[in-house]
Amino acid sequence: MIRRHELPDAEWALPTPLVPSAGRGRPRAKDRRVVNRMVHKIRTGVSWRDPPERYGSWKPVCTRFRRYAIDGVFPPVLAADPGPGRCGG
């Protein structure tokens, strides 16, 4: 079920190829759940430490957000064409 501040399937298709894949080491949280938590934080303005329970712990999301910012993941995602009928389309 897609919730109010989460990416529906059509929007999730845009960042999917740009999200870095997991490397070696400990298994990490699911990409879509983490990205939806980032979207929820950006859209609502809540603190990193106040995620709804469905997103799990705030630490991996905050850590990955910083890593994505350093690695330059966001500019290509923001520049992606959202398609007709969407903002910028």
Side-chain angles (χ1 to χ4, degrees):
M1 169 166 72
I2 299 298
R3 301 188 190 228
R4 183 175 175 189
H5 298 292
E6 295 180 357
L7 297 176
D9 291 339
E11 290 179 6
W12 172 243
L14 293 172
T16 299
L18 304 170
V19 172
S21 60
R24 294 186 209 183
R26 284 194 281 166
R28 65 183 198 182
K30 293 185 177 188
D31 291 331
R32 188 165 185 169
R33 185 175 73 178
V34 169
V35 171
N36 275 330
R37 172 64 183 103
M38 291 177 196
V39 170
H40 183 272
K41 192 260 186 280
I42 291 166
R43 289 182 177 171
T44 64
V46 299
S47 164
W48 283 115
R49 292 179 182 255
D50 295 328
E53 287 184 30
R54 69 183 173 273
Y55 296 118
S57 174
W58 65 273
K59 288 182 181 183
V61 178
C62 187
T63 300
R64 193 134 23 130
F65 184 85
R66 271 189 266 133
R67 190 171 302 141
Y68 287 178
I70 291 167
D71 292 345
V73 171
F74 297 119
V77 169
L78 296 172
D81 180 15
R86 306 296 303 173
C87 294

